[in-house]
Amino acid sequence: MMRGQSERQGINRPLLRKFDQRLNALIQAIYPDSRKRPGFARLAAEIREATGGTISATYLWELSTGKKRNVTLDQLDILAEFFGVPPEYFLNEEVSERVNAQLSLLSALRDTRVRNLALRSEGLSPSTLDAFLIMINEARKVQNLSDVSDAERDSEGAGE
């Protein structure tokens, strides 16, 4: 395959290569239960109702599967507005990582037990909070769960 042809297909274009992953991450963040996640026709209708902008269901599907990558600036703005992210989320790795860390936090806070733990820890001394963090980190190791990523730690500190 010639170099120009591979570039036209987006193979050597990192911005385009991750667009579908970022779009799918936003869809999953808003609709975490895959059984209740709307189809692309309903999602397109929700986007139209919320933003006044139009993106077809077929085009949404093509963007989410990576079959299409030639999103216009207008469509990029519509998607960003609907999902409540800056347009740069789709194009900039640093912005994407920061937003994804916030989405992870939002996802965790949907669990009432996680929210209850957070709310009940209010007012505890810093040393007690540190002890709880140590216990939680050890429990994550026992259950073979990954450590909290640096991006998630950064977003946690951002609210202080």
Side-chain angles (χ1 to χ4, degrees):
M1 186 180 318
M2 296 177 60
R3 180 174 173 238
Q5 186 179 3
S6 68
E7 287 177 359
R8 278 193 300 279
Q9 293 176 348
I11 293 168
N12 293 323
R13 296 180 182 164
L15 293 178
L16 298 176
R17 189 173 48 233
K18 293 187 179 185
F19 189 91
D20 56 333
Q21 295 168 2
R22 292 175 181 167
L23 177 59
N24 287 318
L26 292 172
I27 293 169
Q28 291 169 9
I30 290 184
Y31 306 101
D33 185 346
S34 61
R35 296 168 296 170
K36 295 180 181 178
R37 195 169 297 144
F40 290 103
R42 184 168 149 229
L43 184 58
E46 288 180 15
I47 290 171
R48 187 173 38 261
E49 291 170 15
T51 67
T54 304
I55 296 179
S56 75
T58 302
Y59 195 69
L60 274 173
W61 174 80
E62 290 173 332
L63 288 173
S64 75
T65 59
K67 302 228 183 278
K68 290 275 178 151
R69 298 171 189 260
N70 58 339
V71 65
T72 67
L73 290 176
D74 187 46
Q75 293 164 333
L76 190 68
D77 270 348
I78 291 167
L79 290 170
E81 180 183 345
F82 178 76
F83 288 108
V85 297
E88 296 82 12
Y89 168 81
F90 294 102
L91 307 171
N92 182 294
E93 191 71 30
E94 184 179 313
V95 173
S96 176
E97 288 175 5
R98 189 169 57 244
V99 169
N100 285 338
Q102 294 168 350
L103 291 173
S104 293
L105 177 60
L106 174 65
S107 178
L109 290 174
R110 281 190 175 125
D111 185 326
T112 55
R113 291 168 296 199
V114 172
R115 269 197 323 270
N116 284 337
L117 279 170
L119 291 171
R120 290 178 181 177
S121 66
E122 173 68 29
L124 296 176
S125 70
S127 61
T128 301
L129 290 173
D130 289 340
F132 277 127
L133 287 174
I134 290 169
M135 287 189 292
I136 290 170
N137 286 335
E138 290 304 313
R140 291 185 66 83
K141 286 178 189 173
V142 167
Q143 293 188 7
N144 294 319
L145 298 172
S146 63
D147 289 338
V148 175
S149 72
D150 291 336
E152 289 170 331
R153 280 189 212 118
D154 292 344
S155 74
E156 290 167 2
E160 293 177 1

